[in-house]
Amino acid sequence: MQSENTTEALAPTGRTAPAPGAAPRRGIIRVIVMVMGALGVMMAINQQFLLNLFGFQPLGNAYLYYLIGLFLALAFLTLPANPLKPRQLWWLDPILALAAVVSGGWLGLHGLEIIQKGWEYDAPVTADVMAFVLIVLVLEGVRRSGGPILLVTALLFGAYPLYADLMPGFLWGTEYSLVGTVRAHVLGVESIIGIPMQVVAELVIGFVIFGSVLVATKGSDFFMELASALLGHSRGGPAKVAVLGSGILGSLSGSVISNILTSGPFSIPTMRRVGYPAHYAAAVEACASTGATLMPPVMGTVAFVMASFLGVQYSAIVIAAVIPALMFYVALLLQVDMYAARRGLMGLPREELPPLWPVLKSGWPYLLSLAVLIFVLMGMRLEARSPYYASVVMLVATAFNRDTRLTWARAKALLLDTSSNIASLVAVLAGIGLVVGGLSYTGVAGAFSRELLLYAGGNTALMLIAGAVTSFVLGMGMTVTACYIFLSILLAPALVQAGLNPIASHLFILYWGMLSYITPPVALAAITAANVAGSKPMQTGIHAMRLGMPLFVLPFIFVYDPALIMEGTWLQIIERVALTLVAIWAITSAFEAWIYGIGRIGVPSRIAFAAGGVLILFPELTTSLIGAGVLAAVIAVNLGLKRRAGTVKV
């Protein structure tokens, strides 16, 4: 699982001439990052496996403070103050890094005292100073890792206790002084070291390591070759390879942007080679990579946060997400196949594709590590330890192959990648902790949910629409994790109190927050893929939104019909899955103007077919039967017309 941020400060700056002494400084920073990253990873492993390395036993909040200090420092060393001018103010980075290590380290050393002596309410002067320093560093870290909008959000809600008593109605909350606010955020347990940071410390770090090991040992190459061997020769094969390969790879790395940058340079050119336009190829890659964040077993950081908020096993989130994720990819495969059928696009020649059996034989280390991950995660229910076991298996198994074994150069790249990814996550989630703490300490979070439920008058559809719009808008300026955490505090409780399934309600927020990846004007995934393809970003974003249309509909379906998140009897689940697949086929057929066995269809048939598909989606027998009747009528009419014309297609 990788962060969405790049380590620009560690990368070569391209055409810009290096400043005097810049190269040695980069070399020193690389060494420092690797050493500190290794120390942080060792701390996480020590904590997870209770190894007591060097007598180090960080308990409770002490471990969290140490982790924040260490990886917040790495965020300053790997993320430039100004992304457009990475070398500007470079001298400030080590100063901020040192301040982070000192403040986080001091608080960690006094972690037990903070709890036992109630420093959250009455702390010594030194503790107040360290708390103030850390909160300023957290704000700068969230600015670098999450951008200005997330910074403003963290500031606005983090400072809420200062002016909560001045707010009207249900927005009124308990007032805190400046010192009291700083103490609550840093020394309390519901803000900076609250649930988001606890999830990173206990669960996410292991999966970040697993994702980095997968990339370092060339696992991404294997999964793309496997997809090519399976689907590359079929109609429009390269697009199907992109969907399958990016889906598998992204489900293990958990990162949208890094997935595009890893698989896009291979998938997009091959799609263009068989006839897909550049913007369409980029849109396919963007959608496939975005959907990977929903695909078990790893999914994204937000899935672990969701499990903690709901108080359920991570495996419960995985099980709930399986069917919606698979349906999203089925819709993508259907669309790219129909697009190819309508335009007569072929696949790649078999002689240019790798044979399946040799690919499987060469990729056994990755399949074995994936099996270990799933077994330990789902079978043994050791969620936090599963990525470590799978990573060790992968490193040992790939050591037998000269091309995949972990050389010294790959080990350094692995350590840099892991360190920078964890640093970005820690910086973002520490800032989001301020939002959680501000709403929690003032009591506004609970009041907001109650008022929303009251204003909606029990109308769940109204609340869902409002939640979808809010999630989408917030997703434009925040990371998916930040958007989810914010709304899980304000919106999700109201949805649950209205009688909706808790997991379905939280998944609804997650899905809609993710839409900004493929929807203009933001469309970060589409823009990234457009850069790889050389296409126009806005045109790519529009086509990505069109391809990802099932993602707009699916959340409403499984909120009202929990059978699609594996809640209900097997008969109910099978029935709803079958009907939903038919509906998705009908809607995608309408979008692509193509019905299997018939061929091209006109505008009236497309409208009727889409309407029939939507009717089938409703979890009621009457509407499903009406929808099926509409589909049957459209098919019958078009078959009659095509037979008369002698142009029936397959």
Side-chain angles (χ1 to χ4, degrees), residues 17-256:
R25 182 173 63 82
R26 285 203 305 273
I28 292 171
I29 289 179
R30 285 176 182 271
V31 172
I32 293 173
V33 168
M34 285 191 289
V35 171
M36 293 177 66
L39 178 60
V41 168
M42 287 175 61
M43 282 175 50
I45 294 173
N46 179 62
Q47 177 81 0
Q48 190 56 239
F49 291 89
L50 305 175
L51 300 178
N52 192 23
L53 293 174
F54 310 112
F56 184 64
Q57 293 181 313
L59 300 173
N61 62 348
Y63 168 55
L64 296 174
Y65 286 126
Y66 288 139
L67 210 64
I68 290 171
L70 198 60
F71 284 107
L72 194 57
L74 288 178
F76 295 130
L77 296 176
T78 58
L79 298 170
N82 183 354
L84 300 177
K85 298 179 180 179
R87 297 185 186 183
Q88 192 177 53
L89 298 176
W90 65 266
W91 51 269
L92 185 61
D93 299 339
I95 296 174
L96 295 176
L98 180 61
V101 170
V102 171
S103 57
W106 191 91
L107 291 168
L109 286 172
H110 295 83
L112 198 57
E113 289 180 84
I114 291 173
I115 295 175
Q116 291 179 339
K117 297 183 179 180
W119 283 6
E120 179 183 354
Y121 307 103
D122 186 18
V125 175
T126 308
D128 286 337
V129 171
M130 290 298 177
F132 182 80
V133 169
L134 188 62
I135 209 168
V136 171
L137 294 172
V138 165
L139 289 170
E140 171 59 11
V142 80
R143 183 191 71 83
R144 295 191 183 202
S145 57
I149 295 179
L150 192 53
L151 169 64
V152 171
T153 304
L155 265 173
L156 183 66
F157 289 97
Y160 202 83
L162 297 176
Y163 57 86
D165 64 316
L166 303 175
M167 300 300 288
F170 65 90
L171 296 176
W172 182 92
T174 306
E175 179 192 8
Y176 281 68
S177 66
L178 177 61
V179 174
T181 300
V182 172
R183 285 176 181 169
H185 280 309
V186 179
L187 306 178
V189 295
E190 294 187 39
S191 185
I192 289 176
I193 61 169
I195 287 179
M197 191 57 61
Q198 292 168 23
V199 170
V200 171
E202 298 296 332
L203 283 170
V204 177
I205 288 178
F207 286 93
V208 172
I209 294 170
F210 176 75
S212 297
V213 169
L214 182 72
V215 173
T217 57
K218 296 188 174 182
S220 54
D221 294 346
F222 161 69
F223 286 113
M224 291 308 294
E225 286 183 0
L226 178 61
S228 297
L230 289 171
L231 297 173
H233 65 282
S234 62
R235 179 171 59 193
K240 297 173 185 174
V241 169
V243 173
L244 181 61
S246 295
I248 297 174
L249 179 60
S251 72
L252 300 178
S253 71
S255 170
V256 176

Side-chain angles (χ1 to χ4, degrees), residues 387-647:
Y388 294 104
Y389 290 131
S391 298
V392 170
V393 168
M394 194 184 306
L395 287 172
V396 172
T398 53
F400 295 99
N401 189 321
R402 191 179 191 177
D403 295 329
T404 59
R405 68 170 60 118
L406 199 65
T407 62
W408 174 239
R410 287 177 187 160
K412 289 192 294 183
L414 168 62
L415 200 49
L416 285 170
D417 188 49
T418 302
S419 303
S420 58
N421 288 330
I422 298 174
S424 295
L425 281 172
V426 168
V428 167
L429 292 181
I432 290 304
L434 295 174
V435 177
V436 175
L439 293 171
S440 176
Y441 288 126
T442 57
V444 170
F448 185 90
S449 296
R450 289 193 299 271
E451 290 295 322
L452 180 63
L453 194 61
L454 181 64
Y455 285 140
N459 189 326
T460 55
L462 187 62
M463 281 195 293
L464 287 172
I465 293 171
V469 173
T470 307
S471 299
F472 178 73
V473 172
L474 289 178
M476 291 182 182
M478 298 184 182
T479 63
V480 174
T481 305
C483 175
Y484 165 74
I485 292 173
F486 183 76
L487 289 175
S488 67
I489 298 169
L490 296 177
L491 177 64
L495 296 177
V496 174
Q497 290 175 42
L500 297 177
N501 181 280
I503 294 181
S505 300
H506 282 254
L507 280 175
F508 178 89
I509 294 170
L510 165 61
Y511 274 54
W512 268 93
M514 285 183 53
L515 287 175
S516 63
Y517 271 122
I518 57 172
T519 308
V522 178
L524 186 57
I527 290 172
T528 304
N531 288 334
V532 176
S535 59
K536 294 179 180 178
M538 190 58 65
Q539 186 183 22
T540 301
I542 291 171
H543 275 77
M545 181 176 68
R546 184 174 176 274
L547 284 170
M549 196 57 70
L551 205 59
F552 289 78
V553 181
L554 276 173
F556 287 96
I557 303 170
F558 62 65
V559 162
Y560 282 113
D561 191 0
L564 292 178
I565 58 169
M566 304 284 276
E567 300 231 353
T569 66
W570 279 109
L571 184 60
Q572 290 173 324
I573 293 171
I574 293 170
E575 175 193 342
R576 289 313 307 171
V577 168
L579 288 173
T580 306
L581 286 174
V582 171
I584 288 175
W585 164 70
I587 294 170
T588 53
S589 295
F591 270 113
E592 295 297 334
W594 184 274
I595 298 178
Y596 292 121
I598 294 175
R600 289 178 182 270
I601 56 174
V603 173
S605 294
R606 292 173 68 180
I607 294 173
F609 222 59
V614 170
L615 286 172
I616 291 176
L617 285 176
F618 285 97
E620 295 179 4
L621 180 60
T622 303
T623 54
S624 295
L625 289 174
I626 293 172
V630 171
L631 297 188
V634 172
I635 291 172
V637 169
N638 279 275
L639 272 176
L641 293 173
K642 296 293 181 179
R643 281 174 181 164
R644 200 173 296 171
T647 57

